[in-house]
Amino acid sequence: MVRFFLGLVALFVSAPALAQSEIDVLSPAEFRVHLAAYVEAETDYRAKHVDEWTFIAESDAGDVRFNTQNAYRQYIADPPSIANVFATYINALLEVGATKIAGQIILVVRPSDQIENSNLAQTRSIEDIFPAPRQFAGDLSLFLAIDKPSSIAYLTHDDLSDFDLTEDEAWTIALGSTPVRIGELSAASYDEAFVITADSGLAPSALADPSFCGPEGNPAVAGAVTLAIANDMFLIGLPSIESSMQSFWSTARNVVEIGQSASETPLLCQDGKWVAIPFPEM
C-alpha cells in the first residue's frame, strides 16, 4: 500500500475515465425485485418482500435479510455489471455458515449508523449482536468485519466466541490483517474527480491506515480531502493537483445532494488525522 501512496499523484494524472452508461437503469424497487427473483431461481431460498430496499431470503436452514442499497450503488455505477452484482449476492448466500478463520478479521470504514441495516440487526439490540464500533471521523466509524471470499460481513459476538477471542484481540488482528487484505488500490477519474477502489472491495479501509493520513503518513496526502461515497470506494482531492480539488468539491456536493453517497461528511487530512469539514460556501 505504501508504494501506492508514493506514486499517488502520478497515478491520478494518468487515471482512466470511468465510462458513463447510456442504458436505462432500474429503480431501487425494480432492482430489488430482479435480485430477489434471481435468488429464487439460482438457490433454494424463497424471497420475501420487506420494503423498497430490503427482502428476506428464507429457507429451512434459516433466513437471511438483505439490504440492497450498497449493491444498487454498485449497479448504477456500471449498469452492464448487474449480472456480477447479482452473482456476488448468490455467493454471499452460499457462504452463510461457512467455516471462518481469525485471519479474515478486518476493520471496515462505514457510516456510523449503517450497521442498523445489517442482516442480523432485526430481533435483538445492536449492542447484543455486534462489538462496539470505534469512531473514525465525521459520520464514519470503524467496524470489525470478516472478509469472506465473496462478501464482507460484520463480526458478531457469536463470531468472537467461535474464534475464542476478546474484542481487544480482534481489533489487534484486524489492524494487522486489513492492510494486506485491501490489496492494490487503483484510481480512476469520474466527472473529473478521482475515485479510489480496490478489487477486494475494501478501499475505504485504507483511510484508517496511518501510512495514508497519519503522523508518519505520506506528505502528498497532507491537506487532501476525501468522501466515502460507497462501502467500496471513496473520492479524493489532492492539494498538489488543483483541478482535482475543484472537481472533488463539485462531485462530492452532487452525490450527497442526490442521496447517492454513503457518507455525507467530507474529511480533511490535517495534522496526521482525518477531521470533518463542511462543504465550502458556493
Side-chain angles (χ1 to χ4, degrees), residues 13 49 83 94 113 150 179 194 197 251:
V13 170
H49 165 76
L94 297 178
D113 61 355
S150 300
F194 292 116
T197 61
T251 304

Side-chain angles (χ1 to χ4, degrees), residues 14-32:
S14 61
L18 295 176
Q20 297 289 319
S21 173
E22 296 181 357
I23 68 174
D24 292 335
V25 298
L26 300 173
S27 69
E30 291 171 334
F31 178 84
R32 173 189 51 74

